[in-house]
């Protein structure tokens, strides 16, 4: 059994991605998987590997996480992130925070502290301030311009953009539908000792209500890692669906029954049946060293790195070659 790390860069339409942005997105996925694998190859834990991989994507700017995060309805950042260790189901999660560009490091500190699992809002920001993590810079001009554009689209529709709009993300027949989300990042890994871990970080959804917390901060919905079930999973997509679906807990259960790929597929099939197309995707690794990835959106960026292998396959579209 070779240690491995599987990362994703979000599931969605990706249709707004131009050439330069798409290249940065792919490069970020490969780099995240590479640094995670390097750590695993040196005997590091799955928990450390998913944190370093997530940190790379938070710093990239090409993803909806860290400095690349989207803005809420008031034009402000509000980030969610979480981390889970399969060994003892230890977890650390932050919801609706603004105090750092690396909420995954805050999640790690919370997990290590062991007192609470989830902190949100201003209280969480005050706690993060004591960690001396890098702050989140002000949103750049192009992001603020995109925010104004989305506000104008919302005004043209004469109503708040809502779940129906999120559903239409990815519909090729609705070119007017705004891209409200995707590009959240996540990582799952298995280490040489059999340890499993999952990490996730996101800016959430464009124009979300201030105070909204998505699946990415919630154990069982946006992430799950469990030695007993022998799997770790991370999801991406419309958080309001993943929360009600307990997507990642289900992905781990199905992976135990069916194997990682069939488990990921089964979980997304249930999500699709329950909530319809364009809901999202999930990645899984299991204790046997198998990996799985599935989504019901147009695309989902993903990259896989196994210790002892040179290549790091990277894919975005369903038809891309992605040996698991
Ligand atoms: N799941 C995230 C959320 O709803 C968004 C995403 O995966 O892109 O906050």
């Amino acid at each position: 059994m070779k240690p491995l790390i599987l990362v994703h860069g979000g599931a969605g339409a990706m249709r707004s991605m131009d050439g330069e942005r798409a290249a940065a997105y792919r490069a970020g996925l490969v780099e995240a998987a590479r640094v995670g694998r390097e750590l695993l190859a040196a005997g590091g834990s799955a928990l450390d590997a998913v944190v370093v991989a997530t940190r790379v994507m938070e710093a990239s700017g090409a993803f909806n996480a860290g400095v690349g995060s989207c803005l809420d309805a008031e034009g402000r950042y509000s980030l969610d992130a979480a981390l889970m260790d399969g060994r003892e189901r230890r977890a650390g999660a932050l919801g609706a925070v603004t105090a750092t560009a690396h909420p995954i490091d805050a999640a790690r500190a919370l997990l290590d502290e062991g007192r609470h699992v989830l902190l949100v809002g201003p209280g969480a920001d005050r706690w993060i301030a004591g960690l001396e993590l890098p702050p989140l810079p002000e949103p750049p001009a192009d992001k603020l311009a995109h925010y104004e554009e989305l506000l104008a689209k919302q005004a043209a529709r004469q109503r708040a953009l809502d779940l129906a709009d999120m559903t239409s993300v990815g519909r090729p027949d609705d070119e007017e539908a705004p891209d409200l989300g995707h590009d959240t990042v996540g990582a799952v890994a298995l280490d040489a000792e059999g340890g499993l871990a999952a990490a996730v970080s996101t800016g959430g959804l464009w124009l979300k209500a201030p105070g909204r917390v998505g699946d990415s901060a919630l154990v069982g919905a946006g992430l799950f890692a469990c030695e007993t079930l022998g799997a770790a999973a991370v999801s991406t997509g419309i958080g309001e669906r993943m929360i009600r679906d307990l997507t990642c807990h289900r992905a781990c259960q199905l992976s135990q029954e069916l194997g990682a790929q069939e488990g990921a597929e089964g979980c997304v099939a249930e999500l699709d049946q329950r909530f319809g197309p364009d809901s999202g995707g999930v990645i899984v690794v299991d204790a046997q060293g198998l990996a799985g990835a599935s989504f019901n959106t147009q695309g989902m960026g993903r990259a896989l790195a196994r210790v002892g292998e040179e290549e790091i396959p990277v894919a975005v579209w369903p038809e891309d070659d992605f040996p698991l």
Side-chain angles (χ1 to χ4, degrees), residues 54-62 65-67 101-102:
T54 303
R55 195 187 294 136
V56 164
M57 294 186 280
E58 285 178 338
S60 143
V67 294
H102 286 297

Side-chain angles (χ1 to χ4, degrees), residues 64 80 181-184 202 204-205 212 214-216 235-240:
N64 175 17
D80 299 338
H182 69 70
D183 307 350
T184 283
T202 185
L205 301 171
R212 180 258 193 191
D215 60 313
S216 305
S235 65
T236 166
I238 300 168
E240 281 68 13

Side-chain angles (χ1 to χ4, degrees), residues 1-5 39-41 43-49 85 87 188-197 285-287 289 307:
M1 176 195 67
K2 291 179 198 160
L4 76 158
I5 180 160
L39 201 140
L40 291 169
S45 69
L47 191 66
D48 287 338
D85 183 352
R87 264 188 218 288
V188 282
L190 171 73
D191 63 36
E193 309 287 313
L196 290 156
V285 295
D286 70 15
V307 170

Side-chain angles (χ1 to χ4, degrees), residues 126-214:
R126 284 197 295 280
W127 178 81
I128 290 171
L131 301 174
E132 294 180 5
L133 293 174
L136 190 56
E138 287 300 309
D142 58 340
K143 194 177 287 189
L144 289 169
H146 186 60
Y147 164 72
E148 296 295 340
E149 241 173 73
L150 288 176
L151 277 187
K153 279 190 182 170
Q154 178 166 273
R157 291 186 167 219
Q158 295 184 318
R159 60 180 169 78
L161 296 169
D162 58 18
L163 282 179
D165 295 299
M166 296 175 199
T167 311
S168 69
V169 168
R171 292 270 164 78
D173 56 346
D174 187 358
E175 287 302 321
E176 290 308 305
D179 273 348
L180 293 184
H182 69 70
D183 307 350
T184 283
V185 306
V188 282
L190 171 73
D191 63 36
E193 309 287 313
L196 290 156
V200 55
S201 184
T202 185
L205 301 171
W206 277 100
L207 302 192
K208 64 185 179 180
R212 180 258 193 191
V213 174

Side-chain angles (χ1 to χ4, degrees), residues 7-10 14 17 21-32 53-70 77 143 182-186 201-203 301-302 314:
V7 303
H8 78 72
M14 274 90 186
M17 251 195 233
R21 173 98 201 288
Y25 179 84
R26 281 176 178 263
L29 287 170
V30 172
E31 180 60 8
T54 303
R55 195 187 294 136
V56 164
M57 294 186 280
E58 285 178 338
S60 143
F63 300 92
N64 175 17
V67 294
S69 292
C70 65
Y77 287 123
K143 194 177 287 189
H182 69 70
D183 307 350
T184 283
V185 306
S201 184
T202 185
R302 52 217 191 269
V314 58

